[in-house]
Amino acid sequence: MGLSELRADIIAFRHYIQSERGLAENTVLAYGRDLERFARWVALVQLPRYQKPALKDLARYVAFLHEERLAPPSIARHLVALKMFYRFLRLEERADATGVDLLGSPKLWERVPEVLPPTAVEALILAPQPGDRFYLRDRAMLETLYATGCRATEVVSLKLNDVYLDSAFCRCVGKGSKQRVVPLNRHTVAALRAYLTGTPDEGSRPVEGATEVFVSKSGRPLTRIHLWSLVKKYCKRAGLPKTVSPHTLRHSFATHLLSGGADLRTVQELLGHASIATTQIYTHVDRERLKAIHKQFHPRGGSTPPTTLPENEQPPAA
């Protein structure tokens, strides 16, 4: 009975974070999977009352996650999902689990994102060739990924009525259903225009009933998995590393903007980051720009260090 109640609470929690908190669908799915793992563990150890777990029980769950060989970021997300779940239960007066707030997340190394140089991005965008069946769609898709810095989900969810080619911008819907406006460069505008006015054999959208910009052979919207596989296909053709993904183009977009002189706040707005702390990781990537700024603006930022100290600072003779 307790396990069935737990699963019912998990379903209610998912509805809550989706409808009332407005979390993205992928986040809702991820938290749901994490809590299903927790439910399996509760059944495995036969936890008597999940509504009021002791701190030692929660510590056993963390040990279980380590035994499952989950990576530290995955464990951290599991614990975030668990804390949010129990806060929801407290809000509903269904649980008293103050011990959950005492759980600490594992320390995470700051991972520097993979970034492609502009020449590699150019090679990737030019990888779709006129002989390919969906050449126009795939070229426009790659152009859009790099021109906007959008997430894969945002690109496949892009609506036709959110693209304004004459004004050269598009409206993206990000995490939490937050909207932002992103400019389109002339190359992307040309690629999208060619794709949307092309023939069906070239990969254009169906004229009737289409709402999304990028569609599959059957006329249905592309999925994240389909987009991911297309990027992998063209990365292989362009001779790029296997680790390159759609998110690599987002990282490259942000880093190249900073390299060109864009300020951090502008990049934050274009990426749709809620906190500028998330955007600051790109300052660690572009070290050469930071050194150039230091050299230009710091009073002692000259590149040639003095060979000797000034006379009044010479050390006394021994």
Side-chain angles (χ1 to χ4, degrees), residues 1 36 60 92 101 114 182 195 239 308:
M1 184 66 180
E36 280 297 324
R60 288 167 59 199
E92 295 287 309
D101 295 327
E114 181 179 16
V182 183
Y195 161 57
T308 59

Side-chain angles (χ1 to χ4, degrees), residues 51 53 62 86 102 144 169 187 202 228 238 274 290 314:
Q51 294 94 339
V62 175
Y86 275 105
L102 300 177
T144 302
F169 75 88
H187 301 287
E202 293 173 317
W228 184 89
L290 292 179
Q314 291 290 342

Side-chain angles (χ1 to χ4, degrees), residues 102-307:
L102 300 177
L103 283 176
S105 297
K107 296 295 183 183
L108 303 179
W109 288 94
E110 186 180 79
R111 293 184 296 177
V112 176
E114 181 179 16
V115 174
L116 294 175
T119 52
V121 174
E122 186 76 11
L124 175 58
I125 291 174
L126 295 178
Q129 295 297 313
D132 298 327
R133 183 175 182 184
F134 297 106
Y135 150 73
L136 290 177
R137 181 200 67 187
D138 296 350
R139 174 69 65 84
M141 179 195 68
L142 292 172
E143 286 276 12
T144 302
L145 276 170
Y146 178 58
T148 62
C150 283
R151 304 173 180 91
T153 302
E154 295 169 350
V155 171
V156 297
S157 302
L158 194 62
K159 308 291 185 184
L160 286 167
N161 57 8
D162 286 335
V163 177
Y164 302 86
L165 296 182
D166 291 338
S167 303
F169 75 88
C170 67
R171 182 172 55 209
C172 304
V173 180
K175 293 184 177 181
S177 299
K178 294 179 180 177
Q179 297 186 11
R180 66 186 188 278
V181 173
V182 183
L184 300 173
N185 60 51
R186 59 187 178 87
H187 301 287
T188 308
V189 169
L192 283 168
R193 199 183 298 279
Y195 161 57
L196 295 175
T197 58
T199 63
D201 287 341
E202 293 173 317
S204 71
R205 62 176 178 87
V207 176
E208 295 182 2
T211 56
E212 280 77 12
V213 174
F214 299 106
V215 295
S216 64
K217 175 183 176 181
S218 63
R220 296 179 180 178
L222 287 183
T223 64
R224 283 195 316 138
I225 302 301
H226 195 170
L227 185 147
W228 184 89
S229 64
L230 287 173
V231 171
K232 290 291 184 180
K233 167 187 172 181
Y234 292 117
C235 281
K236 183 177 180 180
R237 182 180 291 183
L240 300 179
K242 295 180 179 179
T243 53
V244 173
S245 69
H247 221 66
T248 307
L249 289 173
R250 179 171 165 86
H251 294 321
S252 303
F253 164 85
T255 305
H256 296 166
L257 281 177
L258 287 171
S259 299
D263 63 273
L264 201 60
R265 187 68 67 180
T266 300
V267 176
Q268 176 197 358
E269 184 176 345
L270 290 173
L271 291 175
H273 285 161
S275 170
I276 199 168
T278 309
T279 318
Q280 283 175 334
I281 188 172
Y282 297 108
T283 63
H284 300 300
V285 178
D286 192 17
R287 298 182 187 278
E288 291 303 317
R289 176 174 175 265
L290 292 179
K291 288 196 294 185
I293 291 174
H294 183 275
K295 176 182 175 181
Q296 180 179 356
F297 296 108
H298 194 277
R300 295 188 173 216
S303 59
T304 306
T307 55

Side-chain angles (χ1 to χ4, degrees), residues 56-77:
K56 64 178 181 180
D57 294 324
L58 298 171
R60 288 167 59 199
Y61 177 59
V62 175
F64 166 75
L65 295 178
H66 283 285
E67 291 169 2
E68 292 280 284
R69 298 183 180 277
L70 296 182
S74 295
I75 294 176
R77 193 193 64 209

